[in-house]
């Protein structure tokens, strides 16, 4: 078992001269780290709860960016880039490296990146207890009510989704429930060689790397879930797959970018979901300063 702290695991892919710059940060700030950001021509920055700050590291060049990618994938940067279609590389431990650069397309699809310009290494940290105060408002007569988690980017939608999955799967709201996760981008469970790097419960089945619509169909046919979870419903195809799953008697958990029901109603995919009355509860996450709050709303 890797006993390093999450930030140490994620930082292990950094080139030594860049990683050495972290020594200037106090221990509490290191433990609170959310991301490492590497941009060409500038020293590395770190994202903390209070914001992004620059550390004392050499300016980042192409060599440093490629070294991170090679360390992350244990292969050449060129080989790794040819496998990148979603814009990030998963690391053991659930961390991930986001990529920016020049996109190369073939037949209208992204096939690789070249000339890397920046990287973002996101530190995955287990967060427990987030779902506990919300669960009573999401249950009715012992049944979990389909729930949509709504928040702006970076507010913790996926983290809360994961915690709800874990809580339901481990029976914290009553009897343990069979939960299936369509983890299209590997952010919920972060499978690594078949093993979730982020704990999602004892009665949870994960399908990784499959489009949400197709993944939900496979899971419902093959795994007989009581609850199905997906992250970031954005396309009409996703919304219609969620509606179809609800019609099979499965409770749903999903996330969406936005700040309120009015915001959702302006977008076709969410408007269709609201009209179909798939979701019975809305969890709204928001930040006020550095404090995150969550509230449960009843949907008609």
């Amino acid at each position: 078992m890797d006993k390093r702290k999450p930030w140490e695991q994620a930082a292990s892919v950094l080139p030594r001269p860049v990683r050495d710059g972290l020594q200037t940060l106090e221990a509490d700030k290191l433990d609170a780290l959310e991301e490492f950001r590497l941009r060409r021509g500038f020293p590395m920055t770190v994202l903390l709860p209070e914001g992004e700050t620059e550390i004392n590291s050499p300016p980042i060049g192409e060599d440093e960016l490629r070294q991170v990618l090679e360390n992350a994938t244990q292969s050449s940067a060129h080989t790794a880039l040819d496998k990148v279609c979603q814009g990030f590389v998963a690391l053991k431990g659930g961390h991930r490296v986001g990529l920016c650069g020049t996109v190369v397309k073939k037949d209208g699809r992204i096939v690789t990146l070249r000339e890397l310009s920046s990287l973002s290494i996101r530190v995955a940290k287990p967060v427990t207890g987030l779902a506990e105060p919300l669960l009573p408002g999401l249950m009715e007569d012992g049944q979990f009510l389909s729930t949509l988690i709504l928040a702006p980017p970076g507010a913790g939608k996926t983290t809360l989704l994961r915690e709800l999955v874990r809580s339901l799967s481990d029976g914290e709201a009553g009897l343990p429930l069979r939960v299936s996760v369509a983890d299209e981008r590997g952010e919920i469970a972060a499978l690594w060689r078949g093993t979730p790097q982020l704990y999602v419960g004892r009665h949870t089945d994960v399908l990784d790397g499959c489009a949400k619509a197709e993944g939900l169909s496979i899971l419902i046919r093959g795994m007989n879930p009581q609850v199905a979870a997906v992250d970031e419903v954005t396309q009409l195809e996703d919304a219609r797959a969620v509606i179809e799953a609800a019609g099979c008697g499965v409770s749903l958990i999903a996330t969406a970018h936005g700040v309120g029901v009015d915001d959702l109603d302006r977008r076709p995919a969410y408007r269709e979901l609201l009209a179909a009355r798939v979701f019975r509860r809305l969890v709204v996450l928001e930040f006020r300063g550095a404090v995150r709050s969550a509230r449960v709303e009843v949907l008609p």
Side-chain angles (χ1 to χ4, degrees):
M1 179 181 292
D2 193 337
K3 295 185 178 180
R4 293 175 298 175
K5 294 182 177 181
W7 74 265
E8 292 174 316
Q9 296 173 10
S12 66
V13 300
L14 294 169
R16 173 68 68 178
V18 178
R19 190 163 69 242
D20 286 346
L22 296 171
Q23 296 174 1
T24 60
L25 293 178
E26 297 97 348
D28 61 332
K29 289 191 179 295
L30 289 169
D31 289 337
L33 272 172
E34 298 175 1
E35 295 180 13
F36 304 103
R37 313 289 300 223
L38 295 86
R39 301 179 177 97
R40 275 207 198 196
F42 301 97
M44 184 175 75
T45 65
V46 294
L47 183 62
L48 299 165
E50 60 268 26
E52 194 171 343
T53 185
E54 191 173 281
I55 69 164
N56 184 24
S57 78
I60 302 300
E62 181 180 6
D63 289 345
E64 286 75 23
L65 295 174
R66 287 187 168 270
Q67 185 63 57
V68 169
L69 196 55
E70 289 173 8
N71 292 343
T73 60
Q74 299 179 346
S75 64
S76 71
H78 176 75
T79 301
L81 284 171
D82 284 345
K83 298 177 181 177
V84 172
C85 296
Q86 298 188 56
F88 69 87
V89 172
L91 303 179
K92 185 178 181 180
H95 319 290
R96 68 175 195 170
V97 182
L99 311 167
C100 275
T102 302
V103 166
V104 178
K105 287 188 173 183
K106 183 178 181 180
D107 299 326
R109 299 182 63 183
I110 296 174
V111 293
T112 187
L113 289 172
R114 58 182 173 82
E115 298 175 1
L116 286 170
S117 61
S118 61
L119 300 176
S120 168
I121 305 172
R122 183 173 296 182
V123 181
K125 291 180 282 190
V127 181
T128 58
L130 291 177
E132 183 178 359
L134 302 175
L135 281 172
L138 305 179
M139 306 293 295
E140 187 174 274
D141 298 328
Q143 181 181 358
F144 176 75
L145 302 173
S146 291
T147 298
L148 181 65
I149 302 169
L150 181 67
K157 295 185 298 298
T158 304
T159 301
L160 179 56
L161 171 65
R162 185 185 306 116
E163 264 297 280
L164 280 173
V165 167
R166 182 198 64 77
S167 298
L168 295 170
S169 176
D170 283 346
E172 293 185 359
L175 293 175
L177 299 177
R178 296 185 306 278
V179 184
S180 288
V181 177
D183 199 1
E184 180 176 5
R185 298 182 301 176
E187 292 185 279
I188 302 171
L191 286 187
W192 178 265
R193 298 177 181 174
T195 301
Q197 300 297 291
L198 301 168
Y199 183 58
V200 288
R202 296 173 62 87
H203 300 88
T204 299
D205 303 298
V206 181
L207 187 64
D208 181 276
C210 185
K212 285 182 279 289
E214 186 178 10
L216 279 172
S217 177
I218 291 171
L219 288 167
I220 289 170
R221 288 199 310 266
M223 302 311 296
N224 186 28
Q226 294 166 291
V227 179
V230 295
D231 203 8
E232 294 189 11
V233 173
T234 55
Q235 306 295 326
L236 275 170
E237 182 183 10
D238 301 335
R240 287 165 184 165
V242 167
I243 293 170
E244 185 175 343
C248 296
V250 178
S251 296
L252 279 301
I253 314 172
T255 67
H257 289 306
V259 294
V261 176
D262 291 343
D263 191 14
L264 292 176
D265 204 39
R266 286 191 286 269
R267 285 175 278 174
Y270 298 126
R271 190 163 57 244
E272 193 160 326
L273 282 171
L274 293 174
R277 298 186 178 181
V278 168
F279 295 104
R280 301 278 304 281
R281 295 292 184 267
L282 180 70
V283 175
V284 180
L285 288 174
E286 54 190 15
F287 274 111
R288 293 178 181 173
V291 178
R292 178 171 54 193
S293 65
R295 69 177 187 273
V296 176
E297 296 184 5
V298 177
L299 289 172

